[in-house]
């Protein structure tokens, strides 16, 4: 959409030589700054295992590309000794990725910079048409308007959808809560709309909880975990994701971690998968409102209605009973996942985050009591911390080619 200047190069001949030696370090260096793991040039040097001169040349090149900012005059901390290292930050005015999210209660577009920073958002739409092409066209148009208004360069686009997305075709296999046809080619449609809008860069699509987990692993509550399990319920249904050694585990065809179809109540509600008592229908906002004896209203989303009830639980004993029932069902599902996956951290999003906040001891006790590894030492269970983490994760898809090879991606 915006004119692209060719990448600049940094420094004189000696710097050029050092950069040539460290060319392969550009991507790893950018990822370290992007995820906040290299706040200074000294840390960057240690993490990359290169000389200080090479790390300096790499940082200078990333700054010349407009991706990071090198602060050459940081203030020394009180009581520190020696020369303080240059600080490294993502560039405030650098490129952005277009992120789009569609869910049962609407859609939203945003521009997201490096570091997972949301630069701008478009007002969300509350009505989702049954035609995916119409919806994706609208959300891309909203993103294109943001790019025009901000004048930012776009590196690509990512889409989060509440459905398993089969690889390699990019098909949304079960977008049941959207009334879209099963197997809708969402990635192809999204890419076509992105190209039609004149937006630069590649386009991607993936499951919303997978993308929430990726964002939380890089920028939020999952940072530092090796084997991270994420379970979340937003507007309808329950999703799960697993990050192993920094990469999403999506299985052989993108369909791994369909945790919503774990049975947690054999005599429970019929599930759209054909089974009964699945986590998907026993621990989502609709299940909570039903357990609390509430009839969902059309004014706001099911998630918002549920969260408001949980915040006011002291006013009604039936709400407390519903909280305990859903915590027990969720804990049973998490315990089974702990036995199978042995994660070193669990993070919860959406309604599950609110349930954890309402009674963390009860949830942790259920998981520990029902899981072999939970009893042997416990698995930390934390709340997701990022606002709009699926949007941030969608942007991560678009940023990944830049993180892999900044020079190639920005000169394409």
């Amino acid at each position: 959409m915006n004119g692209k200047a060719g990448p600049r190069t940094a420094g004189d001949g000696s710097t050029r030589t050092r950069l040539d030696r460290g060319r392969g370090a550009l991507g790893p260096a950018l990822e370290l700054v992007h995820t906040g793991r290299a706040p200074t040039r000294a840390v960057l040097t240690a993490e990359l295992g290169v000389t200080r001169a090479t790390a300096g040349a790499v940082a200078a090149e990333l700054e010349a590309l407009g991706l990071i900012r090198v602060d050459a005059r940081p203030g020394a901390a009180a009581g520190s000794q020696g020369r303080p290292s240059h600080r490294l930050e993502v560039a405030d005015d650098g490129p952005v990725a277009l992120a789009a999210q569609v869910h049962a209660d609407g859609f939203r577009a945003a521009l997201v910079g490096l570091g997972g920073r949301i630069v701008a958002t478009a007002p969300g739409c509350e009505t989702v048409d049954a035609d995916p092409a119409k919806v994706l066209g609208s959300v891309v148009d909203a993103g294109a308007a943001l790019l025009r208004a901000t004048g930012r360069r776009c590196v690509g686009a990512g889409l989060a959808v509440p459905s398993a997305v089969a690889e390699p075709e990019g098909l949304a296999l079960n977008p049941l809560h959207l009334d879209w046809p099963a197997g809708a080619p969402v990635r192809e449609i999204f890419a076509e709309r992105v190209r039609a809008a004149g937006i630069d860069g590649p386009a991607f699509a993936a499951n919303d909880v997978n993308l929430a987990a990726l964002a939380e692993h890089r920028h939020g509550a999952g940072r530092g975990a090796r084997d991270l399990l994420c379970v979340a319920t937003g507007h309808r249904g329950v999703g799960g994701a697993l990050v192993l050694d920094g990469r999403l585990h999506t299985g052989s065809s993108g369909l791994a971690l369909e945790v919503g179809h774990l049975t947690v109540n054999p005599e429970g509600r019929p599930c759209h998968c054909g089974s009964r008592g699945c986590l998907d229908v026993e621990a989502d906002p609709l299940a909570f409102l039903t357990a609390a004896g509430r009839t969902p209203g059309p004014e706001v989303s099911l998630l918002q209605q549920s969260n408001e009830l949980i915040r006011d639980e002291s006013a009604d004993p039936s709400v407390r009973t519903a909280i305990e029932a859903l915590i027990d069902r969720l804990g049973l599902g998490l315990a089974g996942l702990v036995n199978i996956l042995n994660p070193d951290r669990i993070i919860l999003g959406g309604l599950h985050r609110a349930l954890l906040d309402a009674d963390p001891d009860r949830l942790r006790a259920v998981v520990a009591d029902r899981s072999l590894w939970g009893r042997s030492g416990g698995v930390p269970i934390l709340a997701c911390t990022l606002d709009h983490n699926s949007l941030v994760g969608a942007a991560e898809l678009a940023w990944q080619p830049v993180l892999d090879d900044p020079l190639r991606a920005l000169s394409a």
Side-chain angles (χ1 to χ4, degrees):
M1 167 165 292
N2 302 308
K4 296 189 293 184
R8 295 170 285 162
T9 56
D12 55 19
S14 60
T15 301
R16 186 80 262 156
T17 300
R18 288 192 292 268
L19 179 59
D20 289 341
R21 289 199 297 266
R23 180 76 66 188
L26 280 175
L30 180 60
E31 184 166 345
L32 287 166
V33 179
H34 172 60
T35 56
R37 290 178 291 154
T40 67
R41 200 169 70 182
V43 175
L44 183 69
T45 301
E47 290 287 336
L48 294 177
V50 298
T51 66
R52 188 169 70 177
T54 296
V58 168
E61 179 72 1
L62 292 175
E63 185 174 40
L65 289 169
L67 297 171
I68 72 169
R69 185 172 67 86
V70 181
D71 184 354
R73 300 179 302 278
S80 62
Q81 297 181 351
R83 186 173 62 184
S85 180
H86 296 180
R87 294 199 62 80
L88 307 177
E89 299 175 343
V90 298
D92 290 335
D93 58 351
V96 294
L98 168 60
Q101 182 180 12
V102 180
H103 51 71
D105 293 303
F107 61 78
R108 180 178 294 273
L111 305 182
V112 184
L114 283 168
R117 297 177 180 178
I118 296 179
V119 173
T121 59
C125 174
E126 297 180 356
T127 302
V128 178
D129 194 89
D131 179 3
K134 183 175 181 180
V135 177
L136 297 182
S138 296
V139 75
V140 169
D141 287 346
L146 290 176
L147 287 169
R148 288 192 296 270
T150 61
R152 303 289 277 265
R153 177 180 179 180
C154 185
V155 300
L159 169 67
V161 293
S163 168
V165 178
E167 299 293 348
E169 298 89 353
L171 307 179
L173 292 187
N174 59 342
L176 298 174
H177 302 306
L178 297 180
D179 292 325
W180 286 0
V186 291
R187 182 188 301 150
E188 179 182 346
I189 296 170
F190 184 60
E192 288 175 352
R193 295 302 183 271
V194 167
R195 287 193 297 269
I199 298 173
D200 297 327
F204 306 88
N207 171 263
D208 53 1
V209 179
N210 275 349
L211 297 180
L214 182 62
E216 292 284 347
H217 185 268
R218 291 182 174 178
H219 307 294
R223 184 181 291 171
R226 190 187 70 176
D227 299 332
L228 175 69
L229 172 64
C230 175
V231 177
T233 177
H235 301 270
R236 291 289 300 276
V238 175
L242 184 66
V243 180
L244 300 176
D245 291 326
R247 298 287 179 179
L248 278 171
H249 173 70
T250 56
S252 61
S253 57
L255 307 180
L257 271 292
E258 279 291 312
V259 304
H261 300 291
L262 289 172
T263 299
V264 294
N265 183 10
E267 306 302 321
R269 298 176 180 83
C271 181
H272 52 78
C273 73
S275 186
R276 181 177 288 274
C278 293
L279 204 60
D280 209 50
V281 293
E282 296 287 339
D284 77 340
L286 181 59
F288 174 73
L289 293 170
T290 302
R294 299 301 196 274
T295 300
E299 298 82 11
V300 295
S301 71
L302 299 177
L303 177 60
Q304 184 174 338
Q305 293 176 62
S306 298
N307 286 340
E308 289 173 355
L309 265 186
I310 291 174
R311 283 194 293 268
D312 298 332
E313 63 167 291
S314 59
D316 189 340
S318 66
V319 175
R320 183 66 207 177
T321 300
I323 290 172
E324 293 175 351
L326 261 73
I327 284 176
D328 291 347
R329 296 171 197 168
L330 175 61
L332 182 61
L334 292 177
L337 292 168
V338 167
N339 287 336
I340 295 169
L341 301 173
N342 188 28
D344 60 357
R345 192 179 308 173
I346 298 171
I347 57 173
L348 303 178
L351 175 64
H352 296 163
R353 171 181 175 174
L355 293 172
L356 174 66
D357 291 342
D359 197 340
D361 293 338
R362 185 183 184 98
L363 180 59
R364 291 174 178 134
V366 173
V367 174
D369 184 59
R370 295 297 191 112
S371 62
L372 176 63
W373 313 125
R375 289 197 300 272
S376 68
V379 181
I381 303 176
L382 306 175
C384 291
T385 58
L386 298 179
D387 293 330
H388 307 299
N389 50 19
S390 291
L391 270 177
V392 174
E396 291 295 317
L397 293 179
W399 275 113
Q400 192 59 53
V402 182
L403 297 175
D404 291 338
D405 192 337
L407 279 176
R408 175 177 293 183
L410 295 182
S411 62

